[in-house]
């Protein structure tokens, strides 16, 4: 499903699968995605980017299972999401990626807010965020898997060059680091970080 150059589209009550991206939104405002399951896609499960212009999406009750590269990929879109499940994302044929939620901004400041999410059994990191403000509230991020390429990583949350806020969440049974922050700021409140293990060949991290 490709949604572009429009306003007010609503996608409700669908199950989506296929060899490419499950749902792609770009240059579309006030898009609503509700009660949708995306599974077994050959690329991202859900994708929202500003390549074609200003993009804004409201997501509720979204399930993304066994997508490829990233379950949810966001880039400079304004997104609010609640009741989201992202699990079992598969890496590329090269062994790279396989991330749960992947956010890549360009310092434009468009906020991402995700509430009541479960992110399970994804590769490299459950949540990866760069250069776009992110708030995670009441989320469970667990059972991170290493990179299929070299056996490293497996983090719960990885944040770089941005502002991260984590509230009332649980990050558990991941590899290397529960939360990794570089060249940015983080506020972590009322959150449990536990049962982190070392990644393959790395005895420095994990607690």
């Amino acid at each position: 499903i490709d949604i572009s150059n429009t306003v007010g589209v609503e996608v409700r009550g669908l199950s989506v699968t296929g060899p490419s991206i499950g749902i792609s939104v770009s240059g579309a405002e006030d898009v609503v995605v509700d009660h949708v399951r995306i599974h077994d896609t050959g690329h991202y499960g859900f994708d929202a980017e500003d390549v074609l212009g200003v993009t804004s999406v409201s997501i509720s009750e979204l399930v993304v299972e066994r997508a490829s590269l990233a379950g949810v990929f966001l880039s400079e879109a304004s997104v609010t999401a609640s009741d989201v499940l992202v699990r079992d994302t598969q890496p590329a044929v090269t062994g790279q990626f396989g991330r749960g939620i992947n956010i890549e901004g360009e310092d434009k400041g468009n906020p991402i807010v995700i509430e009541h999410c479960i992110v399970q059994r994804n590769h490299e990191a459950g949540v990866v965020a760069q250069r776009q403000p992110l708030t995670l509230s009441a989320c469970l991020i667990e059972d991170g898997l290493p990179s299929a390429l070299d056996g490293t990583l497996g983090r719960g949350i990885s944040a770089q060059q941005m502002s991260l806020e984590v509230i009332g969440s649980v990050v558990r049974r991941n590899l290397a680091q529960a939360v990794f922050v570089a060249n940015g700021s983080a506020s972590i409140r009322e959150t449990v970080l536990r049962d982190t293990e070392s990644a393959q060949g790395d005895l420095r991290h994990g607690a």
Side-chain angles (χ1 to χ4, degrees):
I1 298 175
D2 187 354
I3 302 169
S4 59
N5 300 314
T6 188
V7 175
V9 170
E10 298 187 2
V11 180
R12 299 182 186 270
L14 295 183
S15 180
V16 180
T17 188
S20 188
I21 298 173
I23 297 178
S24 177
V25 182
S26 185
E29 296 183 71
D30 302 325
V31 174
V32 174
V33 176
D34 179 52
H35 284 79
V36 171
R37 179 183 179 228
I38 302 170
H39 64 97
D40 301 289
T41 57
H43 210 287
Y44 306 141
F46 180 85
D47 172 44
E49 306 182 45
D50 72 342
V51 175
L52 299 179
V54 174
T55 301
S56 60
V57 187
S58 175
I59 299 169
S60 58
E61 299 199 33
L62 171 68
V63 174
V64 181
E65 300 175 295
R66 298 180 301 278
S68 297
L69 283 77
V72 174
F73 184 89
L74 308 174
S75 180
E76 286 302 343
S78 293
V79 176
T80 59
S82 63
D83 300 304
V84 174
L85 169 62
V86 182
R87 64 186 175 194
D88 300 324
T89 308
Q90 300 302 301
V93 293
T94 60
Q96 295 174 295
F97 308 113
R99 299 165 178 173
I101 299 172
N102 196 120
I103 300 165
E104 296 185 4
E106 297 177 355
D107 298 314
K108 296 179 182 178
N110 293 329
I112 305 266
V113 178
I114 302 174
E115 300 179 323
H116 302 106
C117 72
I118 298 176
V119 181
Q120 297 173 315
R121 299 189 299 271
N122 300 286
H123 293 265
E124 298 189 351
V127 177
V128 176
Q130 301 181 57
R131 298 186 301 278
Q132 191 165 355
L134 171 64
T135 298
L136 297 170
S137 178
C139 291
L140 171 62
I141 301 167
E142 63 180 0
D143 299 323
L145 299 173
S147 167
L149 179 65
D150 58 15
T152 62
L153 302 174
R155 295 167 174 156
I157 302 169
S158 179
Q160 299 186 55
Q161 298 178 311
M162 43 80 74
S163 173
L164 170 69
E165 185 175 26
V166 183
I167 307 165
S169 297
V170 175
V171 184
R172 66 183 182 184
R173 299 196 301 266
N174 296 288
L175 303 176
Q177 297 99 5
V179 179
F180 173 84
V181 179
N183 300 319
S185 63
S187 172
I188 301 174
R189 307 194 308 273
E190 301 173 2
T191 292
V192 176
L193 311 177
R194 72 183 189 204
D195 302 327
T196 307
E197 298 184 0
S198 297
Q200 178 178 309
D202 181 3
L203 300 180
R204 299 171 299 166
H205 302 108

